[in-house]
Amino acid sequence: MTGITSFTTSPLRWAAILGILVSVAGFIYMLAIILKTLIYGVDVSGYASMMVVILFLGGIQLIFLGLIGEYLGRSFYETKGRPLYFIDSYNETRETNIKE
């Protein structure tokens, strides 16, 4: 688990993506339940509304958990103090030309 969480923030990004998918699925399920209720009537009272609310709000929570995780991951990378880039080689002839 340390190997996964120490070097990448992709699990946090996956949580946000999963949250979006669950929210969309909850919204589509809500539309299907509304259409089914209008066409056929009520099967079990309370089941559909409770399932839609649980799916939709669970998805919203996952989205925001992923967003908060992204912020934490970025601040974690920032506090490591690593440089933004590395210099592969240094051209010393340029420095001698400047001195002349």
Side-chain angles (χ1 to χ4, degrees):
M1 191 56 119
T2 303
I4 294 172
T5 58
S6 293
F7 300 109
T8 183
T9 58
S10 68
L12 303 170
R13 194 167 294 121
W14 282 104
I17 291 169
L18 181 66
I20 291 170
L21 292 175
V22 168
S23 293
V24 169
F27 188 74
I28 291 170
Y29 185 63
M30 177 186 65
L31 292 176
I33 291 298
I34 289 172
L35 288 175
K36 183 180 171 187
T37 304
L38 289 175
I39 294 172
Y40 297 114
V42 178
D43 285 339
V44 178
S45 72
Y47 169 76
S49 60
M50 188 166 8
M51 286 304 295
V52 168
V53 168
I54 288 172
L55 283 174
F56 189 71
L57 290 179
I60 296 296
Q61 286 177 343
L62 275 173
I63 291 170
F64 282 106
L65 183 66
L67 288 176
I68 291 170
E70 282 289 325
Y71 280 118
L72 285 173
R74 289 174 193 232
S75 60
F76 173 69
Y77 285 137
E78 203 55 42
T79 57
K80 282 184 175 181
R82 293 182 178 163
L84 296 176
Y85 55 89
F86 294 106
I87 298 174
D88 191 25
S89 65
Y90 183 72
N91 189 357
E92 293 190 27
T93 58
R94 180 173 183 213
E95 197 170 287
T96 57
N97 291 338
I98 293 173
K99 290 179 184 177
E100 293 176 356

